[in-house]
Every structure is written in C-alpha cells, then in structure tokens.
Amino acid sequence: QVQLVESGGGLVQAGGSLRLSCAGPGRTFTGYTVGWFRQAPGKERHFVAAINWRNGNTHYADSVKGRFTISRDNTKNTVYLQMNSLKPEDTAVYYCARAKYYITDMRGPYDVDSWGQGTQVTVSS
C-alpha cells in the first residue's frame, strides 16, 4: 500500500463545480489504474471514475458520465477529478484509489490496493 493524499473537497451549490486532486509519492501511479470512489452516509462505497496511467484510457460510472472528468499529470504524479453540474445526490466522501497492479478495469473496492483518507463533497440544493 501507498499513501495517497486528496484535496479539493468542499461545499458547493447545485450546478456548481469542484476539482479534486490526489497525489502520491514518487512514481506511485506509474503502470497502475487510478481513480475515485465515493461513499454517502449509510451507504456502500461506489466507483466513480478511473484512468489508466499507461495509456490515459478512462471509464466512468453512468451516474457521472458527461459531468465528471478524470485526468492525470504524470510530472506531478497527481490525478484529478473535475466535477461539473453537481447535484445534491453527489454529496459524499470521495476517496482516491489505486488499483491492484493487474487490474486495468477498476470497478469496485475489491480492485483497490491503496486508498486516500477521503475528502468531503457537499452539494446544497
């Protein structure tokens, strides 16, 4: 496991935007799939988006397609989640995640080998 550090959460009105960042030490993400999950109070942790560090391929949960964009900066070893057109149902703690090395299509918590500490996103109506 490696230490992942998220930032960028906060309170925003519906329709607004936030950008989350997640950084790891050294070449933490090289060769891995990296992404985001979220967990609302009393609910399970769900997949949001992921990016393959090798080729930049991305995939998203249906609930965020067209609104959220995941990207990476190789030079900073940082992954981003740009969240636009936010809705109250997007309110959750968002977790950065690195997949197990052989996983290219990260979809569930069982695919993850390292988690960040989480950052709260609250969308008011």
Side-chain angles (χ1 to χ4, degrees):
Q1 290 191 355
V2 295
Q3 184 176 9
L4 307 178
V5 180
E6 300 119 334
S7 60
L11 173 64
V12 64
Q13 288 188 333
S17 299
L18 284 173
R19 189 177 80 156
L20 306 182
S21 301
C22 172
R27 296 167 63 85
T28 300
F29 297 145
T30 301
Y32 289 86
T33 292
V34 184
W36 296 89
F37 287 72
R38 65 186 182 186
Q39 187 168 18
K43 297 191 176 180
E44 295 183 348
R45 195 170 297 189
H46 290 287
F47 169 77
V48 175
I51 186 166
N52 185 303
W53 211 261
R54 295 184 188 92
N55 57 26
N57 288 345
T58 60
H59 58 280
Y60 297 90
D62 288 344
S63 58
V64 305
K65 280 181 181 176
R67 299 189 298 122
F68 291 11
T69 303
I70 189 169
S71 62
R72 74 191 194 291
D73 185 330
N74 292 352
T75 62
K76 297 181 179 179
N77 212 50
T78 298
V79 61
Y80 303 97
L81 186 68
Q82 178 66 43
M83 305 184 293
N84 298 329
S85 302
L86 282 160
K87 305 175 182 179
E89 52 263 44
D90 294 318
T91 295
V93 177
Y94 283 69
Y95 295 91
C96 180
R98 189 185 75 172
K100 298 170 183 174
Y101 191 70
Y102 54 88
I103 298 292
T104 58
D105 186 25
M106 181 167 64
R107 294 286 181 178
Y110 41 80
D111 292 329
V112 176
D113 81 345
S114 297
W115 295 99
Q117 82 282 1
T119 185
Q120 177 71 45
V121 171
T122 303
V123 184
S124 63
S125 57

